[in-house]
Amino acid sequence: MNSPIRSIADRVVGTVEEVSADKILVLLDPDAPQATALNTGLPERFPRINAYILIPNETGATVGWVTSVKIERLPFPKRKGMQDFGLVDLPFPCRMVTLTPLGTLIYRLESDSGVASFELRRGIDVFPSVGDPVLLPTRDQLQAIVEGESGRTRRVLIGRCPTGGDAPVYVDPDKLFGRHLAVLGNTGAGKSCSVAGLIRWCIDSANEERKVQGRKGFVNARFIILDPNGEYAHAFHDQENVRLFQVQSNQGANARPLKVPAWLWNGEEWAAFTSASPGVQRPILFEALRCLRSEDSAPDPFVTKVRWMVQNYRDQLKDLLRNGDYLKKGKCENVAQVLLKATIDFKDLEQNYDGNDECLKEILRTVSESAAELETSAQEYGRDGKLYHKLFAGTDIESVVKLLDNIANHIGMTNDGLVANEDTPRYFPVDELPPYIEALASRDSRDLIQFVDYLNLRIRGLMHRGGVAQVLHPDDSASIKLEDWLTDYIGGDSAANGQIVIVDLSLVPSEVIHIIVAVLARLTFEALQRYRREMGEELPTVLVLEEAHTFAHKDLAAETASAAGRVCCRIFERIAREGRKFGLGLVLASQRPSEISPTVLSQCNTFLLHRIVNDHDQDLVRRLVPDGLGAVLRELPSLPSRRGILVGWAAPAPVLVEMRDLPESQRPQSPDPAFWAVWTGDPKCGQRTINWALVARRWTETTIEAQDEVSEGRESCTGASGRTSDNDDIPF
């Protein structure tokens, strides 16, 4: 058996020739392995890209990642001692390897058991010097580099490292999801399969751990997948209680109708959908939302006008009392003007009231008469013969305010007039929003009706657009409770109703898809925010955003973008910045990272990078990866499917991972089109029978009966994959 010193000497393959903060140049020895190394215990390929090399130092060993291998013609061969002294030197080909420093491999000896182990630590404690020997890692060292910082974090197996002796690659979900994850790669590189696999493997590993610990019950996990292409509908069919929401629930026995009631929207989302202008339309829209959310019954235009009159004159008289204008010469004329207007307005209300509430009619008359009497009693004529007003008594003005308070109490107004703001997710009859807006617009002397017509057209159109109405204004809106909606779309206590929610957005029209996604993301974020406030601890939840470049596009953050797009992008920027504090992890899946908002992408601390060909995307990813490891990503354009580079917070060192294989039935439905099989009529691929009449009827008819009729013949016009074509824009 070799001594430790001899064992180390056998693994020396070269010496350090050049050192910089981000690159180490190594000159390989002439007798270093040419293709396969046999001196590490098992045959290993060396030298090659993505291999690991050690450079010993006083703290352990610096770990380097091979980023290039080349041959240089040196002016003399590398010799040891004085051998071949006196010979004429000619240019000699020498092999050079470029390393990117990754971290420090620490040697640990357990004091109790005496077992030696290795642990990879981020950062470089001591940089090597020129002339230091370079070693090949042993199998144990290689496994320590690949597997992680300690055994406690080896929780979820996601694949194996082909350049690390097929060592298993584990991830810690706390690090993977806690600081957001970006899964990036071109179409067909395995991006969606990786996302589906991570979710499945995390749940399976947690379930196994619960069994080991003797704990019963469900895995208390929550994964919410926003799926714009309908890829994940059948990827988790074997999991218990997977909640699938679709625009048309008849696509599968386990699917439910997607419902995002419009009363859940906040003021900003309503303003974005209606394109309300900030001058007139937005204030009226917000006030209508506040009023509707504060009432349990449908609004009465007359009562709305009374409400505004009471609030307006009560505020004016209180301001006059507070400022003391009723005791100042000249200023008391302001009091008289308010009383005169109140006399006219409340008399007009009393005369135009055609209801059965005689008490309300009497109170209106009393206010008008009291204001008129108070104004008349203060009249006096000056020496110039003009009409003036004497100073008013504060108690007289307060008596008018008390009469206004009586009206407020009679019609159900609270002290501040409202109990909810425009953002409170309280139910209100959305059908009553247009008449309420009209009532608010008609309360003023100015003609504002023309300014709110566009708002009402948009709102009324929303309520009568077939599939859109079924999502945003379902028939059972009044019976949907906020707590039930949160239970369905986020999860119940201890995840008793399942760990996975799939929101199929494939048939949602582009006009409202940004609003729907924004509402789903915002309600998830705010629910977890309030959960921590009430419970004092976080509720770990993962929000998966497929096609992230569509909903968090960098151009959507600009003021020139559509209002709905800005709302959608801003909520994901907020989740990226603040979600970790409330236990909300964000997973971005995209094929165009250069189009994602920099604010969102820069907050991702872990990246799983599949094949990326576009040079702009490659440059962006190199700038985003942590620890200055951009040089290790030069292999991205040549990665085969299923292989990716895991880099960032969840990986102690960049690792080339061959992801675990998923059976065909567990993969998201995004196969490449089978052109040749269809052209040649291959029976294994299935026939493509065309029935455009069926498609056209499905496209244009919006009744539930028509949808059921068409769905019966769905299999006759779909291929073997069982998928229909995706539609981004559906005419109504």
Side-chain angles (χ1 to χ4, degrees):
M1 180 178 294
N2 291 336
S3 65
I5 296 178
R6 180 59 184 272
S7 177
I8 293 176
D10 288 342
R11 292 187 286 116
V12 173
V13 292
T15 56
V16 176
E17 289 288 308
E18 180 183 340
V19 179
S20 61
D22 60 346
K23 184 176 66 173
I24 299 174
L25 190 63
V26 174
L27 175 63
L28 296 182
D29 291 338
D31 56 351
Q34 298 286 339
T36 303
L38 301 176
N39 51 355
T40 61
L42 288 175
E44 296 287 345
R45 298 284 295 173
F46 181 84
R48 64 175 176 176
I49 300 294
N50 298 331
Y52 298 99
I53 292 183
L54 302 181
I55 306 174
N57 54 45
E58 57 268 33
T59 62
T62 300
V63 180
W65 171 292
V66 177
T67 56
S68 72
V69 179
K70 61 181 179 179
I71 290 180
E72 287 192 2
R73 302 284 178 175
L74 299 183
F76 53 87
K78 183 177 181 180
R79 299 193 181 100
K80 296 180 180 180
M82 299 296 292
Q83 61 183 3
D84 298 332
F85 179 77
L87 297 178
V88 177
D89 291 328
L90 297 175
F92 188 83
C94 291
R95 291 175 294 161
M96 309 289 291
V97 173
T98 303
L99 308 178
T100 295
L102 302 181
T104 302
L105 189 66
I106 306 298
Y107 176 81
R108 296 189 181 279
L109 184 64
E110 300 293 339
S111 58
D112 297 335
S113 61
V115 177
S117 63
F118 299 94
E119 180 178 338
L120 180 64
R121 188 170 62 194
R122 288 175 175 270
I124 306 300
D125 294 334
V126 178
F127 276 93
S129 180
V130 174
D132 285 353
V134 177
L135 313 178
L136 289 177
T138 64
R139 296 284 292 182
D140 292 339
Q141 293 171 335
L142 196 59
Q143 189 165 344
I145 295 172
V146 172
E147 289 188 353
E149 296 181 0
S150 68
R152 294 188 300 272
T153 64
R154 299 169 188 171
R155 291 171 173 158
V156 180
L157 176 66
I158 66 171
R160 297 187 175 274
C161 178
T163 60
D166 284 334
V169 179
Y170 291 86
V171 293
D172 181 4
D174 293 344
K175 295 182 177 180
L176 190 68
F177 302 121
R179 298 189 181 183
H180 310 315
L181 166 68
V183 183
L184 309 175
N186 292 137
T187 300
K191 177 177 73 276
S192 299
C193 288
S194 294
V195 173
L198 288 173
I199 296 173
R200 177 180 293 275
W201 302 326
C202 286
I203 293 176
D204 291 345
S205 298
N207 192 37
E208 293 175 4
E209 180 65 21
R210 292 179 71 94
K211 292 179 179 178
V212 171
Q213 299 294 334
R215 297 173 185 151
K216 298 181 180 180
F218 300 97
V219 173
N220 193 14
R222 278 153 294 277
F223 290 91
I224 304 170
I225 305 174
L226 302 180
D227 180 16
N229 296 324
E231 300 179 44
Y232 293 84
H234 304 288
F236 301 97
H237 63 91
D238 58 327
Q239 297 286 322
E240 294 185 7
N241 299 326
V242 174
R243 304 187 298 284
L244 170 63
F245 297 94
Q246 295 176 328
V247 174
Q248 296 163 343
S249 61
N250 55 10
Q251 292 186 356
N254 298 324
R256 308 185 197 178
L258 175 63
K259 297 179 182 180
V260 188
W263 59 264
L264 286 173
W265 300 5
N266 65 15
E268 185 181 14
E269 289 153 0
W270 270 106
F273 175 77
T274 58
S275 301
S277 62
V280 175
Q281 295 176 340
R282 187 182 295 239
I284 292 178
L285 174 63
F286 284 7
E287 185 170 357
L289 291 173
R290 288 193 294 268
C291 294
L292 284 169
R293 294 187 195 275
S294 301
E295 297 179 349
D296 294 328
S297 59
D300 184 347
F302 181 82
V303 175
T304 300
K305 194 168 185 178
V306 172
R307 183 191 298 274
W308 181 84
M309 291 289 186
V310 169
Q311 191 71 36
N312 183 34
Y313 284 108
R314 188 166 57 178
D315 292 343
Q316 290 189 58
L317 291 175
K318 287 182 177 180
D319 287 340
L320 293 171
L321 284 171
R322 190 182 303 110
N323 298 332
D325 289 356
Y326 63 98
L327 297 176
K328 300 175 183 177
K329 286 287 186 179
K331 293 287 187 179
C332 59
E333 296 298 329
N334 296 335
V335 180
Q337 290 297 321
V338 173
L339 293 173
L340 283 172
K341 291 181 179 179
T343 300
I344 297 172
D345 287 339
F346 281 93
K347 184 176 181 180
D348 181 68
L349 289 173
E350 184 259 333
Q351 291 177 348
N352 293 330
Y353 180 62
D354 57 358
N356 299 324
D357 192 346
E358 293 297 331
C359 183
L360 175 59
K361 191 171 184 179
E362 180 62 27
I363 298 176
L364 294 174
R365 182 187 304 112
T366 302
V367 172
S368 177
E369 292 175 352
S370 299
E373 182 180 351
L374 180 57
E375 187 273 333
T376 303
S377 64
Q379 291 181 358
E380 66 176 4
Y381 288 91
R383 296 179 181 179
D384 55 359
K386 294 183 179 180
L387 181 63
Y388 294 94
H389 291 84
K390 297 181 294 184
L391 301 180
F392 291 89
T395 54
D396 293 337
I397 299 176
E398 289 175 354
S399 65
V400 178
V401 174
K402 290 181 180 179
L403 291 174
L404 294 172
D405 290 338
N406 291 338
I407 298 178
N409 294 331
H410 186 78
I411 63 177
M413 291 177 60
T414 59
N415 292 333
D416 60 353
L418 298 173
V419 296
N421 58 37
E422 63 271 15
D423 298 333
T424 306
R426 293 182 59 178
Y427 171 77
F428 67 91
V430 180
D431 288 331
E432 300 295 340
L433 184 57
Y436 214 129
I437 291 175
E438 292 176 357
L440 293 176
S442 62
R443 71 190 177 185
D444 203 347
S445 58
R446 298 178 298 168
D447 185 12
L448 299 180
I449 296 296
Q450 58 180 332
F451 294 103
V452 299
D453 284 344
Y454 178 72
L455 285 177
N456 290 337
L457 284 174
R458 292 278 289 171
I459 296 170
R460 289 191 174 100
L462 167 69
M463 300 306 116
H464 302 90
R465 284 192 182 170
V468 179
Q470 290 301 317
V471 176
L472 306 182
H473 187 53
D475 297 333
D476 59 346
S477 290
S479 63
I480 298 176
K481 296 181 179 180
L482 179 60
E483 57 266 32
D484 295 336
W485 191 93
L486 294 176
T487 300
D488 287 339
Y489 286 82
I490 298 180
D493 185 27
S494 299
N497 60 339
Q499 297 87 21
I500 301 174
V501 176
I502 303 172
V503 182
D504 186 350
L505 303 166
S506 58
L507 293 181
V508 175
S510 58
E511 182 185 19
V512 295
I513 191 170
H514 282 98
I515 290 293
I516 291 177
V517 171
V519 173
L520 290 168
R522 177 185 60 82
L523 287 174
T524 302
F525 174 75
E526 292 186 357
L528 298 181
Q529 192 178 38
R530 283 161 174 75
Y531 179 92
R532 195 186 74 164
R533 181 186 303 171
E534 298 296 334
M535 305 299 180
E537 54 189 3
E538 300 81 12
L539 181 65
T541 304
V542 179
L543 181 64
V544 179
L545 181 62
E546 267 285 353
E547 305 295 344
H549 55 276
T550 301
F551 305 105
H553 199 286
K554 61 181 181 181
D555 293 341
L556 293 180
E559 293 300 324
T560 56
S562 66
R566 290 200 304 272
V567 168
C568 187
C569 184
R570 286 171 183 171
I571 185 58
F572 284 108
E573 289 181 344
R574 186 181 180 192
I575 291 174
R577 292 192 303 266
E578 306 172 21
R580 181 187 63 85
K581 305 173 185 176
F582 307 105
L584 181 57
L586 185 63
V587 176
L588 303 176
S590 175
Q591 53 189 300
R592 289 308 309 271
S594 61
E595 296 183 0
I596 300 177
S597 165
T599 301
V600 176
L601 202 55
S602 63
Q603 296 299 319
C604 296
N605 282 26
T606 302
F607 297 85
L608 180 56
L609 305 173
H610 291 279
R611 180 174 62 252
I612 298 178
V613 178
N614 185 275
D615 54 348
H616 296 292
D617 295 330
Q618 294 177 33
D619 293 340
L620 176 68
V621 170
R622 291 192 188 104
R623 294 195 301 268
L624 283 174
V625 294
D627 303 330
L629 301 175
V632 305
L633 305 181
R634 294 173 182 169
E635 193 186 356
L636 288 179
S638 57
L639 286 176
S641 297
R642 282 185 56 204
R643 288 197 181 185
I645 298 177
L646 182 66
V647 60
W649 180 247
V655 179
L656 178 65
V657 185
E658 184 171 353
M659 305 296 291
R660 293 169 60 183
D661 189 27
L662 282 175
E664 184 70 27
S665 60
Q666 298 178 3
R667 298 176 188 173
Q669 293 184 350
S670 56
D672 295 328
F675 285 99
W676 184 255
V678 173
W679 291 350
T680 58
D682 186 350
K684 295 182 180 180
C685 185
Q687 300 298 317
R688 300 300 195 268
T689 303
I690 294 179
N691 189 342
W692 290 124
L694 188 66
V695 175
R697 188 163 66 253
R698 174 63 176 246
W699 201 344
T700 56
E701 294 183 7
T702 58
T703 63
I704 299 300
E705 291 78 7
Q707 294 171 4
D708 292 337
E709 176 186 354
V710 175
S711 63
E712 294 177 359
R714 179 184 306 277
E715 294 182 358
S716 65
C717 63
T718 56
S721 62
R723 300 183 65 220
T724 57
S725 60
D726 294 336
N727 294 289
D728 294 329
D729 296 283
I730 300 178
F732 293 92

